[in-house]
Amino acid sequence: MATDQPAEALAAAPAARAAGGGLAPYLVLSGGVLMVAAASIMIRGAQQLGMPSPTIAALRLGFAALVILPLALLRARAELRALTRRDLLLGVGAGACLAAHFFAWITSLEYTSVASSAALVTTSPLWLGLAAWLMRERLARLTWLGIVCTMAGSIVIGLSDGSGGNGRNALLGDALALLGAVAVAAYFLVGRAIQRRLSTLAYVALVYTSAALVATGLALLASGGNATAVFGGFAPAAYLLGLALGLGPQLLGHTALNWSLRHLSPTFVAIATLGEPIGSALLALLFFGQWFKPLQLAGFLVLLVGILIAARGERSKPAE
């Protein structure tokens, strides 16, 4: 998440975690954050090679599903066969939200800077906080302060792009990145219940496969049903980048974040994944020369401070 990341931490229930210890969970979490941070750079590289954003999203999820589904059928067949109709619908719904997240976020990278896109798409925990309020769940005062602070940071980032961003329509890119944040928040809200009842392997196999099918459908729809335009005629390097996205940020990165939630507190995972936009911005500076503008940098700082405050507010909530 992008994606994809503090939202996972704040959406999971403490009861869903298994006991764990040692350095392994911390190492897995660190590796997952690094993998996810690299996604923006891989996506921008594939776009520069002429691959459409819907195709990139479909390949990312498709390659991940092709690897994880056979493994799940071998090792978690009983869990998958025991799925109720309700759980199956929840899993497919979660996959559809995940596909919408990648469709919107990856497209945003065509219009705005990597740093702005990565920063805005990581506001998903705050949308989860707003959803919790709408569902009459009590939020800590620090959480509300974090929401206000993060929204202020998002506005500042939007203003910085509107005054000469790196993309051809930076404000549209920022809006798409925010849409991606809302979609991934919906993904965790829909999948929260089923995730508690399934192993990580069974859960990600169901969701990644559903997301791959939906993303492929969206890509075909965007091309007018022309399968050749969606999947054919690109440079070999573009397909390799799609494969790298599926195996790295998606299969290893997102799955590592899900697994770490079974051993570490959600708040700690949320704080750790704040490294994603920072890592993406630094990689964009290194590979594409996208320097920070003063207003943009100020927006990043306010955004990150807001998420940190919200995470602290989550920690202050009484245990359920």
Side-chain angles (χ1 to χ4, degrees):
M1 135 180 51
T3 132
D4 311 328
Q5 310 73 22
E8 294 182 4
L10 298 181
R17 304 190 307 272
L23 290 176
Y26 299 92
L27 294 176
V28 170
L29 175 60
S30 299
V33 173
L34 290 175
M35 282 290 181
V36 171
S40 300
I41 306 304
M42 297 180 188
I43 292 167
R44 180 58 65 87
Q47 289 171 338
Q48 290 183 345
L49 290 171
M51 182 171 281
S53 297
T55 300
I56 297 171
L59 289 180
R60 170 178 179 158
L61 291 165
F63 281 127
L66 286 174
V67 174
I68 201 67
L69 183 58
L71 184 60
L73 290 175
L74 287 174
R75 304 193 61 178
R77 182 188 299 268
E79 282 186 87
L80 294 175
R81 293 183 65 178
L83 285 172
T84 64
R85 178 178 298 180
R86 178 177 181 274
D87 285 346
L88 182 61
L89 289 175
L90 285 173
V92 172
C97 292
L98 184 61
H101 159 69
F102 284 125
F103 186 89
W105 172 56
I106 292 175
T107 303
S108 78
L109 292 169
E110 295 184 17
Y111 299 100
T112 192
S113 66
V114 170
S116 292
S117 178
L120 292 171
V121 83
T122 54
T123 61
S124 48
L126 286 307
W127 300 112
L128 282 169
L130 289 174
W133 175 73
L134 290 174
M135 293 186 293
R136 300 186 183 278
E137 294 182 18
R138 186 177 180 181
L139 297 178
R141 291 183 180 179
L142 283 176
T143 301
W144 282 116
L145 178 59
I147 290 173
V148 173
C149 190
T150 303
M151 293 303 101
S154 300
I155 293 172
V156 172
I157 291 171
L159 291 174
S160 73
D161 277 341
S163 59
N166 293 317
R168 42 200 175 111
N169 192 339
L171 287 177
L172 173 60
D174 291 345
L176 286 169
L178 282 174
L179 177 60
V182 173
V184 81
Y187 158 58
F188 288 110
L189 284 175
V190 173
R192 177 169 54 180
I194 185 175
Q195 191 175 13
R196 293 170 181 164
R197 296 192 291 272
L198 291 177
S199 66
T200 299
L201 177 59
Y203 175 73
V204 299
L206 173 60
V207 173
Y208 291 178
T209 302
S210 302
L213 293 174
V214 173
T216 300
L218 290 174
L220 290 171
L221 186 64
S223 68
N226 189 342
T228 302
V230 174
F231 296 112
F234 303 110
Y239 292 108
L240 288 176
L241 284 171
L243 177 62
L245 278 166
L247 298 182
Q250 187 61 40
L251 191 60
L252 297 179
H254 277 258
T255 305
L257 297 180
N258 275 301
W259 182 87
S260 66
L261 284 169
R262 298 178 179 271
H263 303 277
L264 302 172
S265 72
T267 301
F268 179 80
V269 175
I271 294 173
T273 53
L274 294 178
E276 181 196 345
I278 299 174
S280 296
L282 292 175
L283 288 172
L285 176 62
L286 178 63
F287 287 100
F288 302 116
Q290 291 186 355
W291 289 89
F292 306 134
K293 291 172 289 184
L295 189 60
Q296 188 182 45
L297 181 59
F300 294 154
L301 293 176
V302 174
L303 178 69
L304 293 178
V305 168
I307 297 179
L308 282 171
I309 292 173
R312 189 176 182 87
E314 179 73 9
R315 178 183 298 175
S316 68
K317 289 171 59 178
E320 297 180 0

